[in-house]
Amino acid sequence: MDITTFVVSARSQALLYGDYTTYHRLLVKKLHTARKKLNIVTKNRSKFTKRGPITAEQIAEDHGFLHLVLLTAERAWAHAMRLKAVHSADTRGIAGRTRSHIISRLDRGARTAERLAQILSDTPAVAATDTDILEARAYAAMVRGAAAFESQKWEDCMKSYATARIIYSALMTSMRGDILKDLLSETIDPSIRYAAYQSEVPRTLAIPTIARKAFPSSDELLVGRINKIAPNLLKQSDSDAEKGQVDAPNAPHTITWRSREVKIEDASIALAIASTESATARLAEKLESADVVLPKEMAAAYDEVLIASQDAADATKHAIDELKDEGVSQSDSRIQRLQITRTAVNYQMISWRIGRNRVLSGEHDGALLDSAPNTTRKSKKDASLRKVKIEPPGRRVARLKEKVVLYDATLQSLESIRELPGVAADDGLLQQLDATAKYFHALKCLSIARSHSLADQSSNALALTKHAYDQSLQSAAFFSKHGASSSDSAILSIEVRQADIQFLHSLLKGELQRSRAIVEIDNLRDKAKSTAPQVKIPLVDRLREYPAEGVDLENMVDYPPQIQLIPVKPLFFDVAWNYIDYPGKPPTAAMEVEAEPTPSPEPKKRGWFGFGR
């Protein structure tokens, strides 16, 4: 029957281009169309006759009656949301008759949806599956939760939304996950969290734990249907319930940042950090396997870790904003612990972002000129079999530009770390960030120097290479003094390994000597060209020019003279052919043309005053 898909798709399609008013009008039109199709619409100028409620036999005969009930419930819900949106900007808020009207519409929609769920579950003639019954129960519970939310009955609200969340979590295995995930994250989970806050439920409990505790376990039929679809969903030990770690049993309780350990009090932050650690373990497995060989595939493996770390950062910021909205001062210990947690998770997220850029740069962070990654598996496989093809300079410059973009993104990420809370006061971390920035700045200057070298600008290339060498020298001096990472793990992050630093330093040392040699060779070539003997033009051929350097009396004319081509107009000979007597050409007799006498015109007769007749 696809109850959830029918409702969610209609909402998203209408709210994408309009608001709740548009959605309410669209539902009114759909209801009229559905009644016309079912032949139960009241005709024009006919007396209205109230019809009874939809029965199970009608639904069994035609599923259009099922959609009619759903549209009726949705119309009531959309009407309530429209009223809420219109009066949300009032200075006094929503109160009085407006709130009563909203609650009345939501209650009517909930009663309509609950009756539909009862018909589907109690009537075998409808032939509804367990999935259909659960979808109807979840939809009815969601509308009932919205009515309890507006009535400020927080226990009932939490119970209804918990029922909807448990059912939708069980249905994720058999339905489209993106629809249910959006429904949970945008509607159900925020309502459960707010109702739990109003009910003074501890913030350390995760939303899945709150939903599990508020779920009506006394309803044996509902529990039995859920266990058929997801047997392990409702099974939970007491220790896990007390800890609040439902989806991630190994979620951390503390986090360490710069030798300082703080306690994680918000369960959503702990779950997000746990998911980040799980994604990191999966990333290590992917990079060590033989299936991931291309840099693009390796970079794509970082996406899951980046998403998980971003969720942790968002959860931390959301927890800080909630405390600030409650009026908690900045000096409070809870705010201080959350600020440290925020710095730690954001630093970790930026570290993974930098690691992804390093993977895309190529081997040794793109220090080699020919470290351009293969883009297809075929080129990677046949690289040893076919001959090495020399790329044109334009293609090489394009690759170097891509590397420069990656280095710029890395430098911007390093700069954003300085803006995190507490970083500006940590001198050791700032020095480490400066050394890391100098390492990537040296790589950037090296790529730009190579592009200048390909464009035959050796002087610019030498200056940039010297600057890159100085930057790498300072970075290597810092890491040799304070120690760099010596790990051989395939996962790259913000930590620069000692082997990469030494490799870049040695490479830049050789590149600097090479650039100096090329500049010296270019200078010798230019000097040789300036001192080479030039072909001097005789004085007779350049009389139009003033001899500023003096007259060379030994180079006045070419002697002996050489045969030279003289440009002549051929038209001159064609015209003169008729007037020149050439040898062997017979003389032409002049044609005498007798002039014929021209008759004199007869005088015309004129009339008076000189006018002709």
Side-chain angles (χ1 to χ4, degrees):
M1 296 180 183
D2 294 335
I3 296 175
T4 306
T5 306
F6 178 80
V7 173
V8 174
S9 61
R11 287 184 184 180
S12 59
Q13 184 179 2
L15 297 178
L16 182 62
Y17 301 103
D19 51 4
Y20 290 108
T21 303
T22 306
Y23 186 42
H24 182 255
R25 292 174 181 172
L26 181 64
L27 288 172
V28 172
K29 293 181 180 179
K30 286 186 176 181
L31 269 173
H32 184 69
T33 305
R35 290 194 180 101
K36 288 178 66 176
K37 288 182 179 180
L38 298 173
N39 199 17
I40 58 174
V41 66
T42 302
K43 298 181 180 180
N44 292 334
R45 298 182 180 181
S46 299
K47 185 179 180 180
F48 174 75
T49 55
K50 185 177 180 180
R51 300 180 184 274
I54 304 299
T55 61
E57 290 76 12
Q58 291 175 325
I59 296 177
E61 181 182 355
D62 191 350
H63 284 175
F65 288 97
L66 172 69
H67 294 164
L68 184 65
V69 177
L70 289 176
L71 291 173
T72 304
E74 273 293 285
R75 182 184 62 176
W77 178 85
H79 190 188
M81 293 298 105
R82 181 176 71 86
L83 293 175
K84 185 177 179 180
V86 168
H87 294 278
S88 60
D90 294 348
T91 56
R92 296 183 302 171
I94 303 174
R97 297 180 60 182
T98 304
R99 181 173 293 278
S100 300
H101 195 185
I102 292 173
I103 295 172
S104 173
R105 300 307 301 172
L106 289 174
D107 182 70
R108 180 174 182 179
R111 284 188 280 107
T112 305
E114 287 169 356
R115 189 175 185 281
L116 174 63
Q118 185 178 2
I119 291 174
L120 294 180
S121 58
D122 295 344
T123 308
V126 181
T129 61
D130 291 336
T131 302
D132 298 332
I133 296 173
L134 288 176
E135 287 186 47
R137 287 291 301 270
Y139 175 69
M142 189 168 58
V143 181
R144 177 58 66 185
F149 188 93
E150 296 299 329
S151 302
Q152 298 182 0
K153 299 177 181 178
W154 306 117
E155 295 292 338
D156 296 339
C157 175
M158 197 160 45
K159 179 180 177 181
S160 299
Y161 276 118
T163 304
R165 194 188 196 285
I166 294 296
I167 293 175
Y168 284 136
S169 299
L171 292 175
M172 278 188 180
T173 57
S174 59
M175 294 181 59
R176 287 178 57 188
D178 53 351
I179 294 179
L180 297 181
K181 285 181 180 179
D182 294 341
L183 192 61
L184 291 177
S185 62
E186 296 176 3
T187 305
I188 297 177
D189 287 352
S191 302
I192 292 177
R193 175 60 70 186
Y194 188 79
Y197 170 74
Q198 294 292 338
S199 301
E200 298 182 356
V201 176
R203 193 187 297 270
T204 55
L205 291 179
I207 292 179
T209 305
I210 298 173
R212 215 178 284 267
K213 286 185 175 183
F215 179 75
S217 302
S218 59
D219 193 345
E220 298 180 355
L221 292 177
L222 179 60
V223 172
R225 290 190 176 97
I226 292 175
N227 288 332
K228 287 181 182 179
I229 299 177
N232 299 324
L233 183 61
L234 296 176
K235 294 180 181 179
Q236 180 190 13
S237 62
D238 295 336
S239 60
D240 291 337
E242 292 176 359
K243 294 179 182 178
Q245 310 300 331
V246 179
D247 296 337
N250 299 324
H253 302 282
T254 59
I255 188 170
T256 304
W257 167 248
R258 304 289 294 175
S259 70
R260 183 174 179 179
E261 186 177 2
V262 295
K263 184 179 179 182
I264 302 175
E265 298 179 352
D266 198 319
S268 59
I269 300 175
L271 292 174
I273 294 175
S275 62
T276 304
E277 294 176 354
S278 303
T280 304
R282 290 190 292 270
L283 173 64
E285 294 177 0
K286 288 182 180 179
L287 295 181
E288 292 175 359
S289 64
D291 296 335
V292 181
V293 293
L294 299 179
K296 287 188 177 181
E297 295 177 351
M298 297 172 66
Y302 279 79
D303 292 343
E304 185 179 0
V305 184
L306 287 172
I307 293 173
S309 57
Q310 182 66 54
D311 292 341
D314 293 342
T316 309
K317 184 178 181 302
H318 182 67
I320 294 175
D321 293 340
E322 283 184 349
L323 289 179
K324 288 182 178 179
D325 293 339
E326 294 174 10
V328 180
S329 63
Q330 190 71 23
S331 59
D332 190 87
S333 59
R334 292 175 293 174
I335 292 286
Q336 295 297 323
R337 286 192 293 267
L338 284 174
Q339 292 288 4
I340 296 174
T341 305
R342 181 185 178 186
T343 302
V345 296
N346 277 280
Y347 180 84
Q348 195 69 17
M349 179 188 65
I350 296 173
S351 176
W352 291 123
R353 193 183 300 164
I354 293 174
R356 185 177 183 273
N357 292 338
R358 294 177 65 184
V359 167
L360 288 173
S361 299
E363 190 178 0
H364 295 291
D365 297 326
L368 298 175
L369 179 61
D370 297 331
S371 63
N374 294 320
T375 57
T376 60
R377 289 182 174 270
K378 183 177 179 181
S379 59
K380 184 81 175 178
K381 183 178 180 181
D382 301 339
S384 59
L385 301 178
R386 53 191 175 86
K387 296 181 180 180
V388 179
K389 184 179 180 180
I390 300 176
E391 293 182 343
R395 185 68 179 273
R396 289 189 177 186
V397 171
R399 290 188 182 277
L400 290 172
K401 286 182 180 180
E402 293 176 359
K403 290 183 180 180
V404 170
V405 171
L406 292 174
Y407 296 144
D408 282 335
T410 302
L411 292 173
Q412 290 177 3
S413 299
L414 290 172
E415 191 66 26
S416 64
I417 295 178
R418 301 174 183 270
E419 302 175 1
L420 296 177
V423 174
D426 194 341
D427 294 335
L429 180 59
L430 289 177
Q431 293 177 4
Q432 181 181 350
L433 291 175
D434 288 338
T436 307
K438 288 178 180 178
Y439 172 77
F440 287 104
H441 189 69
L443 288 169
K444 175 185 174 181
C445 292
L446 177 60
S447 298
I448 299 175
R450 283 171 172 167
S451 63
H452 280 279
S453 179
L454 291 173
D456 294 333
Q457 299 177 0
S458 56
S459 300
N460 295 341
L462 175 60
L464 288 166
T465 306
K466 180 63 171 60
H467 181 65
Y469 178 75
D470 295 339
Q471 294 288 315
S472 68
L473 189 63
Q474 297 175 13
S475 178
F478 174 83
F479 283 112
S480 62
K481 181 179 179 181
H482 295 82
S485 176
S486 58
S487 175
D488 295 333
S489 175
I491 300 178
L492 297 179
S493 62
I494 194 175
E495 297 180 357
V496 183
R497 302 170 185 172
Q498 188 67 33
D500 294 333
I501 297 172
Q502 294 298 332
F503 180 83
L504 178 62
H505 181 67
S506 302
L507 178 65
L508 284 172
K509 188 176 181 180
E511 286 289 331
L512 182 60
Q513 298 298 329
R514 175 177 171 273
S515 299
R516 286 173 176 170
I518 291 175
V519 170
E520 185 66 23
I521 291 173
D522 290 343
N523 291 336
L524 292 175
R525 286 177 178 174
D526 295 340
K527 186 177 180 180
K529 289 180 180 179
S530 62
T531 58
Q534 299 180 357
V535 179
K536 296 184 178 180
I537 303 174
L539 179 62
V540 70
D541 293 335
R542 52 189 182 91
L543 293 176
R544 71 180 72 88
E545 301 176 2
Y546 178 76
E549 70 281 358
V551 178
D552 187 7
L553 299 178
E554 297 181 358
N555 189 23
M556 299 181 66
V557 294
D558 285 335
Y559 187 83
Q562 298 178 358
I563 299 176
Q564 298 179 356
L565 297 176
I566 300 176
V568 179
K569 296 180 180 180
L571 183 62
F572 173 77
F573 294 102
D574 294 341
V575 173
W577 174 265
N578 299 326
Y579 301 94
I580 299 175
D581 293 335
Y582 294 94
K585 180 181 179 182
T588 57
M591 297 289 294
E592 294 183 358
V593 180
E594 296 182 356
E596 298 180 358
T598 57
S600 58
E602 298 180 357
K604 296 182 179 181
K605 296 181 179 181
R606 295 181 176 273
W608 294 348
F609 306 108
F611 296 105
R613 292 184 180 179

